[in-house]
Amino acid sequence: MQSYLQNRRIAQQVRRDRDGERTPQDEKQIWVVADDDDPFNPLNWPLLSRAKSVAVLSLLIFAQAWAGAADSVANTAASQEFGVSKVAQNLTTAMYLFGIACGSLFVGPISEPAWITLIISAFAFLVALLFLPETYLPVLLDWKARHLRQATGSDRYVSHHAASESFTQRLKTKLALPATFFTTEPVIAVLGGYLILLYALLFSFLSGFDYVFKNTYDLSTGLEGACFGAIAAGATAFTLLAPGLYSWARHRTAHVRGSDVLPEFRLWPAMLTGPLLPLSLFWLGWTASPAVTRIWSALGACFLFGVCFIAIYVSAYEYIIDSYAEHAAIALASITIVRYFIAGGIVMAARPMYEGIGVH
């Protein structure tokens, strides 16, 4: 719906700018590009419009994350209900993660029904359908070029995106590129490996919290699930502080307002929080015991893990997007495929691992 309204606004703008104009047909093509002050360019949107888009995307990400983790705290009850082992019950989460990995090759994950998850996912889908605008500039230029052709009666107005390969041709040439990127680009391999480690740790907690909190502190299933709130609080804390921290860093580096930044600038949050990641794990592993300390210490370690997780994740994604520009989607897809496949395997291995070697 929002994209449809965008298309209408671009058409109105073109008609105002080209009212009654007719362009001769015997001249060369005119490439439609974005001007610095084009209002439809997402880089020129007001803060409120950008914030709205970020909010809608955040809701979609929340729905996806919820679907992947919603049934983890009910693992014991579900395995008893269906008469299967706890490891087998973890297949519900693992298969969802495998589905995300496969879907990354095409259009993205499709949420599972595990009813609350279906309601959340449906709500997120409807919000995105109604309020999420188109932000991919080449597509917006396609729309503008089409309306210019209609307004002027000339076929000379074309966009680079529309003049490129067809969808079928792009599918043939680019479907294998994620694997190529991951195996031939050192940056993708290194940052992808780091994100794989983060996801392996995060999804191992889905089963591991049974041992870290429920068994150690004799918590109920509900309170065990609430312990994930410590990770969420850490991630939220960094998310809220990140804009201010980035602004401070840009000011300290004498950055000119509005100009581009080097991709390496995006990595400084990961550089600061990277050493704290193993610290948070040692802190959690060696204090999660009633004989050592109370539960608040373990929750504090989870909070620090949440800060490190989101800081490294955001830094890596921003660096890849800035570095690979129009190929960023392929680069990110290559990481996503491997990350979710391995995370799905970790979910299956986590419970035997905790049973075999314990929390510490």
Side-chain angles (χ1 to χ4, degrees), residues 218-277:
D218 195 26
L219 299 182
S220 66
T221 300
L223 288 178
E224 176 204 344
C227 292
F228 284 100
I231 298 179
T236 303
F238 175 82
T239 302
L240 295 177
L241 293 175
L245 293 174
Y246 270 113
S247 297
W248 172 81
R250 290 166 72 118
H251 177 73
R252 295 288 294 178
T253 55
H255 181 73
V256 178
R257 180 177 178 82
S259 63
D260 293 332
V261 298
L262 294 175
E264 288 75 14
F265 179 83
R266 308 295 188 183
L267 291 176
W268 72 265
M271 295 168 64
L272 293 177
T273 57
L276 299 179
L277 179 65

Side-chain angles (χ1 to χ4, degrees), residues 327-338:
H327 297 301
I330 297 174
L332 295 177
S334 67
I335 293 177
T336 302
I337 294 167
V338 180

